Amino acid sequence: MTSLKRSVAIGGLAVVLVTGAAAAQEPSGNVFNPDGIRPSVETDPDGMGITEHPRTPTGRLHESPRVVVEPRETTGGWLVAAHVEAGAIVSGGDTDNAKFREYRDLDAGAYLNSFAVSFEKPDTARFIHASGAAIGRDDQFLQVDGGRWNAWRIRGFLTGTPHVFTSTYRSLWTGIGTDTLRLASLTPGGTIDAATTQTAIQAVLAETPYSDLGLTRTRTGARFDLRLPRSTTFFASVANEQRTGSRPFGLVFGGGGGGGNTEPPESIDASTTDFSTGMSFGRGDTLLNLAGTVSLFRNDIDTLTIENPLFVNLNTITGILPTSVTSARYDLHPNNTYQNVRAELARRWPSLAGSRLTGVVSVARYRQNDDLIPWTASSLTGGVINGVPTTDVWNTTAALTKTTADATIDTLLVDVGWSLTPVRSLDLRAKLRVFDTDNDTTFVACNPLTGQWGRLINDGSGGSFVVPHATPGNNPPGTPATAYNATGCNYALTRGLGLVPSAGNVNLRNVPYAYRQTNASVTASYRLTRRDVVETGYERESFDREYREREETWEDRVRVSYVSRQLLSGTFRGSYTYARRRGSDYDTHATGEFVSGALGPLPTAAGTNVAGWIHAVAQLRKFDLADRDRHLVDARFNMAVAPTVDASVALQMRDATYPTSMFGRIDRQQQVSPTVDITWQPSPMLSVAAFGSWHRGRMNQAGVHPLGCVIGTSYFFFSNGLAVASATGDAPPTPPGASLVGVEQVGATSWETLCGASSDTSPAFPTSRIWTSYQRDRNTVVGGSAYYSAGRLTASAGYSYNRGRTRIDYDYNPVALGIPDDQAALAGTGWPELVFDQHFFDADVSVPVRPWIAAHVVYRYEHGRIDDWHYDGVDVNPMPAANAAYLDAGPRGYGVHVAGIFVRVSLR
């Protein structure tokens, strides 16, 4: 009783602590047991036993309770209760469909639907509970709980979750799930040319049946709780999640945009193990919790080698044949460790206006020091990159500036809250939360064996390098392409050469992103009457970021809410929030020191294309950094329409505008979601419900397709939006029906200003090349359910329908972008809607046969329709181009019937 009083006195923090302690008790359920294991299926005919139609404090009808199962007492004084329900399930229809099997295992056959057993001995307070469902299946769950009440307790669990990603995958490889994927029949690296290789792959795919890609998550764990003297408790827990299987993966060869693309499966065999321990101390009005956690991620597949079926297009490297690119090697998710120490304090001062203080301090470290792998596994014999031979100088870890990741991120959380009641009807609360990250991770892309700045990409079939600029006038005459190489990857020495680099956008160092987030808020709540409460609050959220386009952003939020438990004989909850985000100056070159442009001065020579020095158009605003105004409305009204009927109406509205964003997320983003539900409960034996929910959303985005920006070149702009570059300065012919509206010449000192921002006559970003994307979402979910109980006979049924539509349209000037009319008609408003429709029907009947035995029948029907134009035509033409093979044909519609017949035996 003392512990309960302390929890009530301390308030909010106690709820958090209880929730955290219960986290080790995994939530369990599956398709036939969505609420876990229920010891009884029949409804108590006496209901709550309070009133004829009892309601919750919010005005909703209470769900009728289940009959309490009376245990059997043994001669040894143990109270025993148990049941087991087993039988078989049958199914028909598209049972192999990935959407139907996404998170469940409903293959036909024997099925242990559920079991539960409970042993309790009141005189010694000892107990043992065990329950589970779908044992032996991929979506099984099992729980075991035992100990002595109010002294010690041990809990264990096992849960499984299958996840089927696709059932329309055509694999070209064997060895799925291992660290090496070998082509089943094709020649690695292709054959004599791209066309012949394409024909060979198409022939193999025509004979390859569809198969599944999916994984299973199996989570196991245990927790021990011990109550010590002087209101002290101790706990220790361990949990392990094992993930095995495969999922679609991307394989790209050649340059950054690809010179050979396909979809191999990624092999998955990894685990995460969490260890936690802590203590809780309670003294009077003070509660202290201390806890520590270590999480270990271990990947049993360190690298994945995939034989290449394509004849690839090479990029950057010369002197080798495409057929020599026979495989690719990936360094998969690295082993890593997470460590956390957390302290939580709650203190109450009843004499100081009922003050309550809560505080949390949490320190964490993320660490991974995985062995890095060479840029390529190939010797690249005979190859040359920028005049430097590649033979055996990229397939060794000596080609790396470091051999292990040595990556660390430290975080600190401080959260302090204070509340008090200065007068009887007024509650005041203040809160300060600071979260800080420190990123200590560095990597430099340079090969110490050759001195070359940059890196191989796509296992050596492409590259991204920087050398001194070759255009005369940028660097001293005679500057060789290998001038950087002599510095031995010394960044300072390379910069000291003062040579203009060949490009300004080659990534040379990783960006150690970090930030500090601060949330400060004050809230006042005033009780107008015993049943009416009004609340208002103010919060400021600020970010201090490193290496982002905005160093600082701040958002001010004002919130007003009202709660009434007497409005029209119902309960109303409503709130309105206005939020306004602004920030410091926006710098599109915030990460400039990490790319090749920082190696030397800016180019000035005529004929130099300086587009690579412009990181983004100046008016672009990333949505998490952009100025934003938001309006948020949340309202819900519960009403007792009649003693046996209640209804509720809810509305959620989100409206956000980006007042200074010309590119990125623009205009207005809106979401409107009304919900209605009604329940009729004439008696504890019968309950009928119906519901409906509607969602409408819109979002607009804009971008601009760049032109080049060449020093010394004149750009001519015409009234139809066409922009033409002239290196000689001569005006090009005027397009029919158009007129010349402007001319800009890019100069050695003006190119940053002219080309950095979008305008009607910007050489790099003319407004005529702007494109806009409009997305409109419409979702409807409606349904109903009914439940009936007559003694031990129970029956229930439910139906729901989910309808989703997404429309994506584009607006642009096809003349300015050089798009033919037939393509413009398709790529503008020609895309069909994305369609997702899903019907569910469930029925469940339990019929008593004997006092201790019952027959249980379940039935489920699902029907789904999925139309996604991204996958249109892939099933009949999986390889439309010589260097691209699409192996996943995408999601499909389905219709499935599942029935289960079980026998439930209970100990009575």
Side-chain angles (χ1 to χ4, degrees):
M1 192 66 176
T2 304
S3 176
L4 176 60
K5 288 182 177 179
R6 180 176 297 112
S7 298
V8 173
I10 292 174
L13 181 61
V15 175
V16 174
L17 300 179
V18 171
T19 303
Q25 188 68 25
E26 294 288 302
S28 300
N30 62 10
V31 64
F32 288 148
N33 300 276
D35 300 325
I37 305 300
R38 290 186 172 183
S40 176
V41 295
E42 61 262 35
T43 301
D44 190 337
D46 295 329
M48 294 291 293
I50 303 172
T51 62
E52 185 178 1
H53 302 289
R55 294 180 178 273
T56 69
T58 62
R60 301 298 302 273
L61 286 166
H62 262 295
E63 180 182 354
S64 297
R66 306 291 174 172
V67 171
V68 176
V69 177
E70 295 294 336
R72 175 182 295 183
E73 185 172 1
T74 69
T75 57
W78 286 91
L79 302 179
V80 183
H83 88 265
V84 61
E85 184 171 290
I89 58 176
V90 295
S91 58
D94 305 309
T95 56
D96 291 334
N97 185 276
K99 192 63 183 176
F100 171 71
R101 299 166 53 212
E102 190 171 18
Y103 294 113
R104 54 199 166 190
D105 182 356
L106 288 178
D107 291 341
Y111 195 89
L112 176 57
N113 189 39
S114 68
F115 79 91
V117 60
S118 172
F119 297 88
E120 296 192 12
K121 195 171 185 181
D123 59 347
T124 62
R126 299 185 184 277
F127 67 94
I128 301 174
H129 302 152
S131 61
I135 303 302
R137 301 238 171 189
D138 288 341
D139 59 351
Q140 65 183 329
F141 64 88
L142 174 67
Q143 301 173 97
V144 180
D145 189 359
R148 182 180 178 187
W149 294 117
N150 210 34
W152 60 273
R153 185 177 188 179
I154 297 178
R155 287 170 284 179
F157 66 87
L158 179 151
T159 62
T161 305
H163 188 175
V164 179
F165 295 99
T166 176
S167 55
T168 58
Y169 183 79
R170 286 179 277 204
S171 177
L172 300 174
W173 297 269
T174 61
I176 296 176
T178 70
D179 63 358
T180 303
L181 303 184
R182 301 191 184 280
L183 290 169
S185 58
L186 296 167
T187 302
T191 55
I192 57 175
D193 56 34
T196 304
T197 302
Q198 178 184 16
T199 300
I201 296 174
Q202 289 174 327
V204 170
L205 289 176
E207 301 298 324
T208 302
Y210 286 143
S211 59
D212 300 336
L213 292 182
L215 62 84
T216 300
R217 302 171 184 263
T218 303
R219 187 167 174 82
T220 57
R223 177 182 170 113
F224 173 69
D225 289 272
L226 176 65
R227 186 178 181 86
L228 301 171
R230 300 178 63 83
S231 299
T232 301
T233 60
F234 166 82
F235 81 90
S237 68
V238 60
N240 176 267
E241 181 176 283
Q242 186 74 36
R243 295 174 292 280
T244 56
S246 58
R247 60 187 167 197
F249 196 53
L251 175 61
V252 178
F253 288 102
N261 312 308
T262 191
E263 304 167 284
E266 177 191 1
S267 298
I268 301 171
D269 187 1
S271 65
T272 302
T273 305
D274 299 324
F275 301 92
S276 297
T277 186
M279 298 189 73
S280 176
F281 308 88
R283 299 290 186 273
D285 293 315
T286 303
L287 179 65
L288 174 64
N289 275 8
L290 300 175
T293 299
V294 176
S295 181
L296 308 175
F297 173 81
R298 297 296 180 261
N299 196 340
D300 291 334
I301 303 179
D302 186 31
T303 62
L304 178 63
T305 300
I306 306 169
E307 288 189 339
N308 168 38
L310 303 169
F311 187 95
V312 305
N313 294 329
L314 300 176
N315 173 275
T316 304
I317 188 170
T318 61
I320 64 172
L321 296 175
T323 52
S324 67
V325 184
T326 58
S327 65
R329 182 172 59 169
Y330 287 86
D331 198 357
L332 298 183
H333 303 289
N335 295 344
N336 58 81
T337 301
Y338 167 77
Q339 300 166 298
N340 175 261
V341 177
R342 183 181 180 96
E344 302 170 328
L345 173 69
R347 171 70 179 174
R348 188 173 76 104
W349 290 275
S351 60
L352 185 60
S355 291
R356 288 168 291 176
L357 176 69
T358 61
V360 176
V361 177
S362 176
V363 179
R365 166 165 287 191
Y366 303 80
R367 170 76 171 162
Q368 74 98 342
N369 195 29
D370 196 46
D371 290 337
L372 303 181
I373 64 173
W375 299 102
T376 179
S378 172
S379 65
L380 301 181
T381 300
V384 176
I385 295 178
N386 295 326
V388 180
T390 60
T391 303
D392 289 328
V393 293
W394 291 94
N395 58 346
T396 170
T397 55
L400 306 173
T401 53
K402 60 194 305 186
T403 58
T404 63
D406 192 23
T408 302
I409 297 179
D410 293 318
T411 68
L412 171 65
L413 169 66
V414 178
D415 192 328
V416 180
W418 180 45
S419 64
L420 72 160
T421 305
V423 296
R424 184 174 182 180
S425 298
L426 178 64
D427 293 325
L428 300 177
R429 297 186 299 275
K431 185 178 180 66
L432 176 65
R433 181 185 185 274
V434 179
F435 182 74
D436 186 80
T437 64
D438 181 15
N439 191 335
D440 185 18
T441 305
T442 61
F443 184 79
V444 177
C446 185
N447 187 342
L449 297 180
T450 64
Q452 291 171 285
W453 285 92
R455 69 194 193 283
L456 290 183
I457 59 176
N458 302 329
D459 216 84
S461 60
S464 179
F465 291 90
V466 60
V467 297
H469 211 291
T471 300
N474 281 319
N475 291 312
T479 300
T482 57
Y484 288 153
N485 303 4
T487 64
C489 292
N490 185 300
Y491 189 77
L493 288 179
T494 307
R495 283 176 54 88
L497 296 176
L499 299 176
V500 176
S502 56
N505 57 356
V506 177
N507 294 312
L508 299 181
R509 297 187 295 163
N510 72 292
V511 183
Y513 294 110
Y515 66 92
R516 171 175 290 184
Q517 179 186 8
T518 303
N519 293 78
S521 64
V522 292
T523 304
S525 177
Y526 186 73
R527 290 179 293 282
L528 301 172
T529 68
R530 293 180 62 250
R531 297 184 177 183
D532 296 272
V533 178
V534 63
E535 182 176 284
T536 183
Y538 167 78
E539 178 182 3
R540 166 164 279 211
E541 179 182 69
S542 60
F543 281 90
D544 293 318
R545 299 178 173 90
E546 294 184 11
Y547 311 116
R548 292 296 305 275
E549 288 77 5
R550 261 183 162 168
E551 291 185 3
E552 297 179 52
T553 60
W554 51 88
E555 184 169 50
D556 297 300
R557 302 169 188 152
V558 178
R559 181 177 183 270
V560 178
S561 67
Y562 174 64
V563 176
S564 174
R565 291 191 292 125
Q566 61 182 357
L567 183 66
L568 298 176
S569 301
T571 301
F572 173 79
R573 287 179 171 82
S575 69
Y576 166 74
T577 302
Y578 171 71
R580 183 179 186 271
R581 184 172 66 196
R582 297 296 185 266
S584 57
D585 292 340
Y586 199 94
D587 179 15
T588 58
H589 298 269
T591 58
E593 64 181 278
F594 300 96
V595 294
S596 57
L599 283 183
L602 297 175
T604 57
T608 304
N609 188 345
V610 293
W613 276 263
I614 301 170
H615 297 283
V617 60
Q619 295 97 328
L620 172 67
R621 297 293 181 265
K622 295 183 178 179
F623 77 92
D624 64 325
L625 302 175
D627 289 354
R628 182 183 65 186
D629 297 323
R630 286 200 300 168
H631 302 269
L632 299 86
V633 175
D634 292 279
R636 184 176 185 88
F637 180 58
N638 300 331
M639 182 178 181
V641 179
T644 61
V645 179
D646 64 25
S648 67
V649 179
L651 176 66
Q652 183 181 85
M653 298 178 62
R654 301 289 185 266
D655 186 288
T657 57
Y658 299 86
T660 61
S661 297
M662 182 175 178
F663 300 109
R665 194 167 295 182
I666 62 169
D667 296 337
R668 171 167 289 169
Q669 180 182 356
Q670 289 181 316
Q671 297 179 26
V672 179
S673 302
T675 302
V676 177
D677 62 75
I678 186 168
T679 302
W680 176 49
Q681 193 180 93
S683 74
M685 318 302 293
L686 176 64
S687 177
V688 179
F691 64 90
S693 178
W694 298 265
H695 172 83
R696 297 294 183 268
R698 54 173 289 187
M699 181 175 67
N700 301 335
Q701 298 186 88
V704 56
H705 193 71
L707 287 170
C709 181
V710 181
I711 296 175
T713 296
S714 296
Y715 290 81
F716 295 83
F717 301 89
F718 298 93
S719 57
N720 63 350
L722 195 64
V724 180
S726 172
T728 63
D730 299 329
T734 300
S739 60
L740 184 66
V741 296
V743 181
E744 292 284 2
Q745 185 178 37
V746 178
T749 59
S750 64
W751 63 265
E752 287 187 89
T753 302
L754 286 176
C755 299
S758 179
S759 68
D760 292 343
T761 57
S762 169
F765 301 107
T767 53
S768 61
R769 293 173 68 85
I770 291 176
W771 56 266
T772 306
S773 169
Y774 306 93
Q775 180 172 317
R776 302 293 181 265
D777 299 305
R778 295 171 288 124
N779 292 277
T780 301
V781 180
V782 295
S785 64
Y787 177 84
Y788 176 74
S789 174
R792 295 182 59 233
L793 170 66
T794 64
S796 64
Y799 168 77
S800 66
Y801 169 57
N802 183 358
R803 181 181 189 271
R805 298 291 187 271
T806 298
R807 180 78 189 181
I808 302 176
D809 293 323
Y810 295 91
D811 184 27
Y812 52 88
N813 183 338
V815 175
L817 293 171
I819 299 176
D821 292 341
D822 58 340
Q823 294 183 17
L826 293 173
T829 59
W831 299 114
E833 287 187 326
L834 301 176
V835 175
F836 180 77
D837 288 342
Q838 201 167 35
H839 300 262
F840 291 96
F841 175 76
D842 290 279
D844 187 305
V845 178
S846 181
V847 181
V849 178
R850 294 285 188 273
W852 49 273
I853 190 169
H856 186 196
V857 179
V858 297
Y859 172 76
R860 185 178 184 88
Y861 172 71
E862 289 188 27
H863 180 273
R865 174 192 171 196
I866 303 173
D867 294 335
D868 187 345
W869 50 260
H870 294 88
Y871 290 94
D872 285 353
V874 172
D875 54 343
V876 296
N877 186 18
M879 198 173 182
N883 292 102
Y886 302 103
L887 307 182
D888 183 3
R892 301 292 180 88
Y894 68 97
V896 179
H897 301 264
V898 179
I901 302 176
F902 310 116
V903 175
R904 183 184 179 102
V905 180
S906 303
L907 183 64
R908 294 267 178 170

